[in-house]
Each structure stands twice: as structure tokens, then as C-alpha cells.
Amino acid sequence: MVKHGKKHFVGAALLGLAGLVVGCSSTSPSSSPSPTASVPAVGIGRPGASTVDSKVLPPPPESSMAGRARVVNLYVDDGGAKLDIDVWAQRTFTEGEVLLAKGVKFGAASDYFVTPKSHSIVFTKAGASVDDAEVASMFNPAKGEQITAMLLWENGKASAPNVWEIDPTGSHDAPAPPSAGEGLVVVRANQLTAFEKKLTPTFGGRSFDVGDGKGACVPQARMTAKGATPAVLGGTQPTLHDLLPGPAAFTLHKWPDNKKCATDPVFTFSVDVSAGETTAVFVYTPDGTSITTLALPVA
């Protein structure tokens, strides 16, 4: 669970994806954040046959449903407009479309879903058909891979960069599980980049030193173990923190500053750390001027 300091909007929610036929709804941010509960079972959208130009296309076979993914909807454009979205696997020449997630609200996440091999994965406005204009597209993971795609405003348009959670090949940046007796917290702030100018008067920009609420920076053991300088949170750079179980305080501090985490924080939140589990925390703005967070378990 993420808890915030005063005067800041709170957002944390999960979207349930039901059974074999998608018919789910997402939960928008509230003043009482939801706990980072266990993720429900993987859902597979299995439509009936699709007809295109009088040709009946069967749904993709279950054997082709390989990669595992979910979507975090952090889309708000520079004018403040937000979108609820549906997630589709588009039809191919031989197989019909698949509705993978439905009605994902801003500041919320879909459940994990599995994706059919060789299909393009796209977002549409909620309630639109697969043939309507797409908002953006996302990477389709292969068998054994797991990602979270972040729908956000980037370079003047909708974009859906992904973060790796499971990578059997080891060629991507999926973090290793935490050590025994510890939990891993991964903090990301990608979505803030597009709103840097608006955030600067209050928060000093969109990059931060990450503190522990006691005047020190939260340890980044994975960095220091390699002899590297602890990372600064911002842009595409996350921070990874291996911590003991229990509530952990986090503070964000203006960067750059020689005093680092000893300066007054510009934002505070807390995370309930669980042994053996990874929690993903997305720092984002709902309106271009304030900051909040969404915390999700990585299943």
C-alpha cells in the first residue's frame, strides 16, 4: 500500500480481468489507497469467430497465447484530457481479434493478460471496436516473457513504453527477485517527463533523489554492489530498493542538490514491503501540477 503526505492526490488501484471472457472494470484513484493485493488469475479474452469480407476467422488457439502483460493507464495529454481504454489483439489474415482488457481507467491497471503470438496489440478508446482509431500500440511479449506497458503522453502523442518483469533470455533489464527475507521496491517516474515545465515551480522538475524520510537516501544495494553511484529517479531511469518487510517511507527531493536527501522533501509516500515480493511504484501527475503514486505487485 502507498500512503502519501498531506496536500497530495492519492491513487492506487487494480483492475480485475474475469475468467476467459473479458468483462472487467478498473478502479480509479481514491482518497483511501487500495492495498497491493495479490494479482488475480491471468485472463484470456476468447472471442467467437470474426467475419471479414465474408471470410470467417477463428479465434487464435490457446496454444498461441504465450506472452504475459498488463497495462497501466497514465495517459493525460498536455491539455489535461484523459482516456479510458480497451486493449485489443488485432486480427491477422488467419485469426480473429481478441479483447484483452476492457475499460482501463486513468490511474489504474489492468489485470495481467496473455497475448496471442503474431498479433499486434493496440489500445482504443473504451467501448470502441478493434477497427476504430487506435490510441497507441504496445510490445507483444513472447512465451515466458512478462511486461507492464505504461500508456502515457510522450513527445506530443500517446505512447506505451514497456518495462520488463520477467525475461528468460537475460537480454533486457528485468530486475532479479529480492534476496531471502527482503522485498524489492521499483520506483518509476516516466510519465512526469512530458510535464517538466509545469512541475518545476512546485517540485523542481521531474528528476529526484529518493530519500528515506530521515535525511538519508534509500539504499540502492544493487547499484553500490557494482561500485556504481545510486541512480537518480527520472525519465526512463527507475530506482531499485531492496528492503526489510514492513512499511517503508519514501521522500522525493529536488535534483540536483549537493545535500541530496537531506533537503526538505517535495513529496512523500510509503510502501508496505513484503518479503520475497516485488512492488512497482509509478510516480505520475494526474493534472500536470500535482504528483501521486500507483503501487502494484509484480506477480
Side-chain angles (χ1 to χ4, degrees):
M1 176 165 66
V2 171
K3 302 176 182 177
H4 304 91
K6 297 180 179 178
K7 301 181 182 179
H8 293 285
F9 183 84
V10 180
L14 291 175
L15 168 71
L17 188 63
L20 297 182
V21 179
V22 176
C24 56
S25 61
S26 60
T27 305
S28 59
S30 66
S31 58
S32 300
S34 301
T36 53
S38 59
V39 176
V42 175
I44 301 176
R46 301 282 300 164
S50 175
T51 303
V52 180
D53 295 333
S54 300
K55 180 181 179 181
V56 177
L57 297 178
E62 289 193 36
S63 60
S64 76
M65 308 295 277
R68 194 168 190 252
R70 66 179 169 188
V71 176
V72 175
N73 183 359
L74 303 179
Y75 177 90
V76 54
D77 67 21
D78 51 12
K82 302 178 177 68
L83 288 176
D84 295 352
I85 59 161
D86 293 341
V87 185
W88 291 91
Q90 292 182 320
R91 70 178 66 89
T92 68
F93 289 111
T94 58
E95 296 173 353
E97 68 273 12
V98 183
L99 180 59
L100 298 170
K102 182 178 180 181
V104 187
K105 296 183 180 299
F106 175 78
S110 72
D111 190 5
Y112 284 100
F113 49 79
V114 289
T115 58
K117 183 179 179 181
S118 302
H119 287 242
S120 295
I121 311 300
V122 301
F123 308 125
T124 63
K125 292 181 180 180
S129 79
V130 69
D131 297 314
D132 290 329
E134 66 182 64
V135 174
S137 60
M138 63 171 278
F139 176 75
N140 188 351
K143 184 176 182 180
E145 297 176 342
Q146 179 174 302
I147 64 168
T148 288
M150 301 174 290
L151 179 63
L152 43 78
W153 184 255
E154 186 175 51
N155 298 321
K157 62 181 180 180
S159 181
N162 64 275
V163 296
W164 287 87
E165 296 173 349
I166 298 176
D167 172 27
T169 68
S171 59
H172 301 286
D173 59 353
S179 300
E182 294 183 327
L184 174 63
V185 178
V186 181
V187 186
R188 300 182 185 274
N190 304 56
Q191 189 254 17
L192 300 183
T193 299
F195 303 94
E196 182 173 8
K197 290 183 179 179
K198 293 181 179 180
L199 294 171
T200 295
T202 302
F203 301 100
R206 48 85 171 177
S207 297
F208 309 96
D209 286 311
V210 181
D212 63 0
K214 300 177 182 178
C217 292
V218 183
Q220 297 183 41
R222 299 182 186 217
M223 297 293 287
T224 55
K226 298 184 294 185
T229 301
V232 173
L233 175 67
T236 60
Q237 176 63 60
T239 58
L240 281 68
H241 310 279
D242 293 271
L243 302 170
L244 294 174
F250 288 82
T251 51
L252 302 185
H253 303 260
K254 292 181 180 180
W255 178 89
D257 193 302
N258 290 334
K259 293 183 179 180
K260 295 188 177 294
C261 302
T263 62
D264 291 336
V266 295
F267 184 71
T268 64
F269 62 97
S270 65
V271 177
D272 288 332
V273 181
S274 298
E277 297 185 4
T278 297
T279 301
V281 178
F282 299 89
V283 181
Y284 70 99
T285 177
D287 51 20
T289 59
S290 64
I291 288 178
T292 189
T293 60
L294 173 67
L296 300 170
V298 175

